[in-house]
Amino acid sequence: MARRLIFSKKPRGIARRLRALDRWAASFEDYFPHEIPAGERYWNWKIPVLFSLVEGRHTNSQIQARCAQALIDACQHLMRAKPPEAESWRVTAVICLPDFFTSEVCLYLDEDYFQAHTRASASEHGSSRLLAPSSLAEAWSLQLANGCGELGTEINALDDDQPTGRFIAQRWYFGEVMPR
């Protein structure tokens, strides 16, 4: 399944594309990767859809919620298939807003790397904060299996390309996100 950047066109065959995304998520059932090179801290699968399906003027919250559910379903399949030797790894689905096209299913192979992405922090480049008690799962009626948690963060970073000079985004992590 391919990812494509097509900015101006309304996507055709939305129902067909969503069914293909559901098949992609189902392909993770009973699968866990064994080809990860040593020394990696992170492994991911980007959402395999057209840009215009999830971002821009032609999408809506129902389409985005369907795509988010597919990412969560893929994550939950990976969680169930995770072998004992990967017990310390975290399996997550990351829903990025407003830049949904960057959403992905992730394996965090390094706990410090996961914590760096998900804890509140501040630096000269910007800050991040936790969004609890807000819930994207509740807002979009997403279905989470037992053992699948939710953690939201908001990033506020310096960005000269933005009219305000700041980039503000949300990252919603689903899966193995609970404190250890």
Side-chain angles (χ1 to χ4, degrees), residues 100-155:
F100 199 112
F101 191 64
T102 62
S103 297
E104 59 193 7
V105 175
C106 308
L107 298 179
Y108 282 95
L109 314 175
D110 180 284
E111 183 66 19
D112 291 334
Y113 197 63
F114 172 77
Q115 292 298 328
H117 283 97
T118 59
R119 70 173 173 256
S121 64
S123 74
E124 65 275 5
H125 304 292
S127 64
S128 67
R129 67 180 182 94
L130 299 179
L131 292 173
S134 297
S135 170
L136 186 65
E138 187 177 305
W140 283 2
S141 301
L142 301 172
Q143 302 300 310
L144 306 180
N146 287 339
C148 186
E150 175 183 22
L151 174 68
T153 63
E154 181 180 77
I155 300 163

Side-chain angles (χ1 to χ4, degrees), residues 34-50:
H34 296 288
E35 68 276 2
I36 299 173
E40 293 290 328
R41 301 170 69 191
Y42 176 81
W43 195 260
N44 69 329
W45 297 265
K46 293 288 188 183
I47 186 169
V49 297
L50 292 172

Side-chain angles (χ1 to χ4, degrees), residues 17-28:
R17 292 178 189 283
L18 293 173
R19 285 191 307 271
L21 184 60
D22 289 339
R23 283 191 305 277
W24 171 81
S27 73
F28 286 91

